[in-house]
Amino acid sequence: MTGALFKANFWSTDILSTAGYDCLIQHLNNGRKNCKEFEDFLKERASIEEKYGKDLLNLSRKKPCGQSEINTLKRALEVFKQQVDSVAQCHIQLAQTLREEARKMEEFREKQKLQRKKTEILMDAAHKQKNLQFKRTMDAKKTYEQKCRDKDEAEQAVHRSANLVNPKQQEKLFVKLATSKTAVEDSDKTYMMHVSTLDKIREDWQSEHIKACEMFEAQECERINFFRNALWLHMNQLSQQCVTSDDMYEEVRKSLEACSIEKDIAFFVNHRKTGQTPPAPIMYENFYCPQKNTASQGKALGTNLARRGPLPVPRSTPDDQDYSLVNDYSLIYQ
């Protein structure tokens, strides 16, 4: 049951032992160390998130990505770049959030440290006082026991000297016995006083130990709860980051669904077309037949040359030699 486990299980039968208290302090120190480790983890994770966010931001803003695309695919890419930019901003924001959580963990650790310090000071003082009084009591006990042994020896000496005729020696023995009895009585009172004082100090220490156990257990319950909630919140933050990123990526998917291959092809054709008439075929041109050359040139150059009509073709009479004229040059076929 909460609040009663520590004070019922961390004792020792040795009045000088602090094993139970030391065990609790060690456990609380370990808990504080664990909180510090998680705090450092959050800080390092924040640095990673911030660096990733900045790198992603630079990638989104500086790196070309399909910049010559057109129409619907171009719009999809613009949405893509915008959403990547937003995802980067989310990672940077997450880094700030994680640093804030680390700061809260640090404040919690310091608060518990200050609370424990008061109890530790009281317990250290109680331990010192208990140990000092125990030493005084043991010293008083040794003195008392020694005085008792001295008295016993004095009594035995008196009994042994009963038959002595020297009254002076007997008187000395009786004086020594009386002195030893007085010393025993005084040391007994001192010893009893120290025992009583030690018992009072023991009760006070025991009361402080119980209070310390209750306080330590309450602190440990608070620490475990705080640590658990901090870790739970951290997981929620990471999950929310994934959900937010997926929502942004979903916007990209929606823009891609609106992308039309047919529209992009038609858009390109309408805005970049160069003409609908292909070039005319290149005709054979006979070097010795200008009419063919001219005719072919007419086809290649258009209708203006065609309006001139065909060139005259030289003809030969039965009595003429076969020839061909090219710019007043006569070639006689043998």
Side-chain angles (χ1 to χ4, degrees), residues 132-166:
L132 179 60
Q133 185 57 39
F134 179 80
K135 183 178 182 303
R136 290 172 177 171
T137 302
M138 293 301 100
D139 290 342
K141 180 182 179 182
K142 289 179 181 179
T143 301
Y144 165 71
E145 291 175 345
Q146 184 59 47
K147 296 302 180 182
C148 288
R149 284 191 288 269
D150 293 344
K151 183 182 79 69
D152 292 342
E153 290 178 0
E155 287 178 345
Q156 291 174 6
V158 168
H159 290 306
R160 287 194 299 268
S161 66
N163 298 324
L164 292 177
V165 293
N166 190 340

Short mmCIF file of all heavy atoms in Angstrom, two decimals, residues 132-166:
data_model
loop_
_atom_site.label_atom_id
_atom_site.label_comp_id
_atom_site.label_asym_id
_atom_site.label_seq_id
_atom_site.Cartn_x
_atom_site.Cartn_y
_atom_site.Cartn_z
N LEU A 132 27.17 9.59 18.15
CA LEU A 132 27.95 10.22 19.22
C LEU A 132 27.45 9.78 20.59
O LEU A 132 28.25 9.44 21.49
CB LEU A 132 27.87 11.74 19.09
CG LEU A 132 28.61 12.55 20.15
CD1 LEU A 132 30.09 12.23 20.11
CD2 LEU A 132 28.37 14.05 19.93
N GLN A 133 26.13 9.75 20.75
CA GLN A 133 25.57 9.35 22.05
C GLN A 133 25.81 7.87 22.31
O GLN A 133 26.04 7.46 23.46
CB GLN A 133 24.07 9.65 22.09
CG GLN A 133 23.41 9.39 23.44
CD GLN A 133 24.07 10.15 24.56
OE1 GLN A 133 24.47 11.30 24.40
NE2 GLN A 133 24.19 9.52 25.72
N PHE A 134 25.78 7.07 21.28
CA PHE A 134 26.08 5.65 21.46
C PHE A 134 27.52 5.48 21.95
O PHE A 134 27.78 4.67 22.85
CB PHE A 134 25.88 4.91 20.14
CG PHE A 134 26.18 3.44 20.22
CD1 PHE A 134 25.25 2.55 20.74
CD2 PHE A 134 27.41 2.94 19.79
CE1 PHE A 134 25.52 1.18 20.82
CE2 PHE A 134 27.69 1.58 19.86
CZ PHE A 134 26.75 0.71 20.38
N LYS A 135 28.44 6.24 21.38
CA LYS A 135 29.84 6.17 21.82
C LYS A 135 29.96 6.60 23.28
O LYS A 135 30.66 5.95 24.08
CB LYS A 135 30.70 7.05 20.93
CG LYS A 135 32.20 6.98 21.25
CD LYS A 135 32.99 7.84 20.30
CE LYS A 135 34.49 7.72 20.59
NZ LYS A 135 34.83 8.08 21.96
N ARG A 136 29.30 7.67 23.64
CA ARG A 136 29.34 8.13 25.02
C ARG A 136 28.76 7.08 25.96
O ARG A 136 29.28 6.83 27.05
CB ARG A 136 28.55 9.44 25.17
CG ARG A 136 29.22 10.64 24.50
CD ARG A 136 28.30 11.83 24.53
NE ARG A 136 28.94 13.02 23.95
CZ ARG A 136 28.29 14.15 23.69
NH1 ARG A 136 26.98 14.24 23.94
NH2 ARG A 136 28.94 15.18 23.18
N THR A 137 27.69 6.45 25.53
CA THR A 137 27.05 5.43 26.37
C THR A 137 27.97 4.24 26.55
O THR A 137 28.09 3.69 27.66
CB THR A 137 25.72 4.98 25.74
OG1 THR A 137 24.86 6.12 25.59
CG2 THR A 137 25.03 3.95 26.59
N MET A 138 28.60 3.82 25.47
CA MET A 138 29.53 2.69 25.57
C MET A 138 30.73 3.01 26.44
O MET A 138 31.22 2.17 27.22
CB MET A 138 29.98 2.26 24.17
CG MET A 138 28.88 1.65 23.31
SD MET A 138 28.11 0.16 24.04
CE MET A 138 26.58 0.87 24.73
N ASP A 139 31.21 4.26 26.34
CA ASP A 139 32.31 4.68 27.21
C ASP A 139 31.88 4.68 28.67
O ASP A 139 32.63 4.24 29.56
CB ASP A 139 32.80 6.07 26.80
CG ASP A 139 33.51 6.08 25.46
OD1 ASP A 139 33.92 4.98 25.01
OD2 ASP A 139 33.65 7.16 24.86
N ALA A 140 30.67 5.15 28.92
CA ALA A 140 30.15 5.17 30.28
C ALA A 140 29.96 3.75 30.81
O ALA A 140 30.21 3.46 32.00
CB ALA A 140 28.82 5.92 30.32
N LYS A 141 29.55 2.86 29.92
CA LYS A 141 29.38 1.46 30.31
C LYS A 141 30.72 0.84 30.69
O LYS A 141 30.83 0.11 31.70
CB LYS A 141 28.74 0.68 29.17
CG LYS A 141 28.53 -0.79 29.48
CD LYS A 141 27.93 -1.53 28.29
CE LYS A 141 27.74 -3.01 28.61
NZ LYS A 141 27.21 -3.76 27.46
N LYS A 142 31.75 1.11 29.91
CA LYS A 142 33.08 0.58 30.22
C LYS A 142 33.57 1.11 31.57
O LYS A 142 34.13 0.35 32.39
CB LYS A 142 34.06 0.97 29.12
CG LYS A 142 33.84 0.24 27.81
CD LYS A 142 34.85 0.70 26.77
CE LYS A 142 34.63 0.00 25.44
NZ LYS A 142 35.59 0.47 24.40
N THR A 143 33.34 2.39 31.80
CA THR A 143 33.76 2.98 33.08
C THR A 143 33.00 2.34 34.23
O THR A 143 33.59 1.99 35.28
CB THR A 143 33.50 4.49 33.06
OG1 THR A 143 34.23 5.09 31.99
CG2 THR A 143 33.92 5.13 34.39
N TYR A 144 31.71 2.17 34.03
CA TYR A 144 30.88 1.56 35.07
C TYR A 144 31.35 0.13 35.36
O TYR A 144 31.49 -0.28 36.51
CB TYR A 144 29.43 1.58 34.62
CG TYR A 144 28.53 0.68 35.41
CD1 TYR A 144 28.18 0.95 36.74
CD2 TYR A 144 28.00 -0.49 34.82
CE1 TYR A 144 27.36 0.10 37.46
CE2 TYR A 144 27.17 -1.34 35.53
CZ TYR A 144 26.86 -1.04 36.84
OH TYR A 144 26.04 -1.89 37.57
N GLU A 145 31.58 -0.63 34.32
CA GLU A 145 32.03 -2.02 34.52
C GLU A 145 33.39 -2.08 35.21
O GLU A 145 33.64 -2.95 36.06
CB GLU A 145 32.08 -2.74 33.16
CG GLU A 145 30.69 -2.98 32.56
CD GLU A 145 30.76 -3.58 31.17
OE1 GLU A 145 31.88 -3.53 30.56
OE2 GLU A 145 29.73 -4.07 30.65
N GLN A 146 34.26 -1.17 34.83
CA GLN A 146 35.57 -1.14 35.48
C GLN A 146 35.46 -0.78 36.96
O GLN A 146 36.12 -1.39 37.82
CB GLN A 146 36.48 -0.13 34.77
CG GLN A 146 37.90 -0.11 35.32
CD GLN A 146 38.60 -1.45 35.21
OE1 GLN A 146 38.55 -2.10 34.16
NE2 GLN A 146 39.21 -1.92 36.29
N LYS A 147 34.59 0.15 37.29
CA LYS A 147 34.37 0.53 38.69
C LYS A 147 33.77 -0.63 39.47
O LYS A 147 34.10 -0.84 40.67
CB LYS A 147 33.44 1.75 38.78
CG LYS A 147 34.03 3.02 38.15
CD LYS A 147 35.35 3.42 38.78
CE LYS A 147 35.92 4.69 38.14
NZ LYS A 147 37.23 5.06 38.71
N CYS A 148 32.91 -1.36 38.81
CA CYS A 148 32.34 -2.54 39.48
C CYS A 148 33.43 -3.58 39.78
O CYS A 148 33.46 -4.19 40.86
CB CYS A 148 31.25 -3.16 38.62
SG CYS A 148 29.72 -2.18 38.54
N ARG A 149 34.32 -3.79 38.82
CA ARG A 149 35.41 -4.73 39.05
C ARG A 149 36.35 -4.23 40.17
O ARG A 149 36.82 -5.02 41.01
CB ARG A 149 36.20 -4.95 37.74
CG ARG A 149 35.47 -5.84 36.75
CD ARG A 149 36.37 -6.24 35.61
NE ARG A 149 36.64 -5.12 34.71
CZ ARG A 149 35.90 -4.84 33.64
NH1 ARG A 149 34.85 -5.61 33.34
NH2 ARG A 149 36.19 -3.81 32.88
N ASP A 150 36.57 -2.91 40.19
CA ASP A 150 37.41 -2.34 41.26
C ASP A 150 36.76 -2.55 42.63
O ASP A 150 37.44 -2.87 43.62
CB ASP A 150 37.64 -0.85 41.01
CG ASP A 150 38.49 -0.59 39.79
OD1 ASP A 150 39.14 -1.54 39.32
OD2 ASP A 150 38.48 0.56 39.28
N LYS A 151 35.45 -2.38 42.70
CA LYS A 151 34.74 -2.58 43.96
C LYS A 151 34.81 -4.03 44.41
O LYS A 151 35.03 -4.33 45.59
CB LYS A 151 33.28 -2.14 43.84
CG LYS A 151 32.47 -2.25 45.15
CD LYS A 151 31.05 -1.85 44.92
CE LYS A 151 30.26 -2.98 44.27
NZ LYS A 151 30.06 -4.14 45.15
N ASP A 152 34.63 -4.93 43.44
CA ASP A 152 34.71 -6.36 43.77
C ASP A 152 36.09 -6.72 44.31
O ASP A 152 36.23 -7.49 45.30
CB ASP A 152 34.39 -7.22 42.55
CG ASP A 152 32.93 -7.08 42.15
OD1 ASP A 152 32.12 -6.63 42.97
OD2 ASP A 152 32.61 -7.44 40.99
N GLU A 153 37.12 -6.20 43.71
CA GLU A 153 38.48 -6.47 44.18
C GLU A 153 38.70 -5.89 45.58
O GLU A 153 39.37 -6.52 46.44
CB GLU A 153 39.50 -5.87 43.20
CG GLU A 153 39.55 -6.59 41.86
CD GLU A 153 40.52 -5.93 40.92
OE1 GLU A 153 41.14 -4.91 41.32
OE2 GLU A 153 40.65 -6.41 39.75
N ALA A 154 38.13 -4.72 45.82
CA ALA A 154 38.26 -4.10 47.15
C ALA A 154 37.55 -4.94 48.21
O ALA A 154 38.05 -5.13 49.34
CB ALA A 154 37.71 -2.69 47.13
N GLU A 155 36.38 -5.47 47.87
CA GLU A 155 35.65 -6.32 48.82
C GLU A 155 36.43 -7.60 49.12
O GLU A 155 36.52 -8.06 50.27
CB GLU A 155 34.27 -6.66 48.26
CG GLU A 155 33.30 -5.49 48.27
CD GLU A 155 31.96 -5.85 47.67
OE1 GLU A 155 31.88 -6.90 46.99
OE2 GLU A 155 30.98 -5.09 47.87
N GLN A 156 36.98 -8.21 48.08
CA GLN A 156 37.78 -9.43 48.28
C GLN A 156 39.02 -9.13 49.14
O GLN A 156 39.42 -9.94 50.00
CB GLN A 156 38.21 -9.99 46.92
CG GLN A 156 37.05 -10.56 46.12
CD GLN A 156 37.48 -10.99 44.72
OE1 GLN A 156 38.67 -10.96 44.42
NE2 GLN A 156 36.51 -11.41 43.92
N ALA A 157 39.62 -7.99 48.95
CA ALA A 157 40.79 -7.62 49.75
C ALA A 157 40.42 -7.44 51.23
O ALA A 157 41.18 -7.83 52.12
CB ALA A 157 41.39 -6.34 49.20
N VAL A 158 39.23 -6.89 51.45
CA VAL A 158 38.77 -6.72 52.84
C VAL A 158 38.55 -8.07 53.49
O VAL A 158 38.91 -8.30 54.66
CB VAL A 158 37.50 -5.86 52.89
CG1 VAL A 158 36.85 -5.93 54.28
CG2 VAL A 158 37.80 -4.42 52.51
N HIS A 159 37.92 -8.99 52.75
CA HIS A 159 37.68 -10.33 53.30
C HIS A 159 38.99 -11.05 53.59
O HIS A 159 39.13 -11.74 54.61
CB HIS A 159 36.83 -11.16 52.34
CG HIS A 159 35.41 -10.68 52.26
ND1 HIS A 159 34.62 -10.52 53.37
CD2 HIS A 159 34.63 -10.34 51.18
CE1 HIS A 159 33.41 -10.10 53.01
NE2 HIS A 159 33.40 -9.98 51.67
N ARG A 160 39.96 -10.90 52.73
CA ARG A 160 41.24 -11.57 52.94
C ARG A 160 42.01 -11.00 54.15
O ARG A 160 42.80 -11.70 54.78
CB ARG A 160 42.12 -11.45 51.68
CG ARG A 160 41.65 -12.33 50.52
CD ARG A 160 42.72 -12.43 49.48
NE ARG A 160 43.07 -11.12 48.92
CZ ARG A 160 42.52 -10.60 47.85
NH1 ARG A 160 41.56 -11.28 47.20
NH2 ARG A 160 42.88 -9.42 47.40
N SER A 161 41.76 -9.74 54.43
CA SER A 161 42.48 -9.09 55.54
C SER A 161 41.73 -9.15 56.86
O SER A 161 42.08 -8.45 57.81
CB SER A 161 42.77 -7.63 55.18
OG SER A 161 41.53 -6.91 55.09
N ALA A 162 40.71 -9.99 56.96
CA ALA A 162 39.91 -10.06 58.20
C ALA A 162 40.72 -10.56 59.37
O ALA A 162 40.50 -10.18 60.53
CB ALA A 162 38.69 -10.95 57.97
N ASN A 163 41.69 -11.41 59.13
CA ASN A 163 42.50 -11.99 60.22
C ASN A 163 43.77 -11.16 60.51
O ASN A 163 44.58 -11.56 61.35
CB ASN A 163 42.90 -13.43 59.87
CG ASN A 163 41.68 -14.33 59.71
OD1 ASN A 163 40.70 -14.16 60.44
ND2 ASN A 163 41.76 -15.30 58.81
N LEU A 164 43.93 -10.07 59.77
CA LEU A 164 45.12 -9.25 60.01
C LEU A 164 44.99 -8.50 61.35
O LEU A 164 43.91 -8.00 61.70
CB LEU A 164 45.32 -8.25 58.87
CG LEU A 164 45.71 -8.84 57.50
CD1 LEU A 164 45.80 -7.75 56.45
CD2 LEU A 164 47.02 -9.60 57.60
N VAL A 165 46.08 -8.42 62.06
CA VAL A 165 46.06 -7.73 63.35
C VAL A 165 46.40 -6.26 63.22
O VAL A 165 46.22 -5.48 64.17
CB VAL A 165 47.07 -8.40 64.34
CG1 VAL A 165 46.61 -9.79 64.69
CG2 VAL A 165 48.47 -8.42 63.73
N ASN A 166 46.87 -5.88 61.97
CA ASN A 166 47.24 -4.48 61.75
C ASN A 166 46.00 -3.68 61.39
O ASN A 166 45.49 -3.75 60.27
CB ASN A 166 48.28 -4.38 60.63
CG ASN A 166 48.86 -2.98 60.54
OD1 ASN A 166 48.28 -2.02 61.03
ND2 ASN A 166 50.02 -2.88 59.90
#
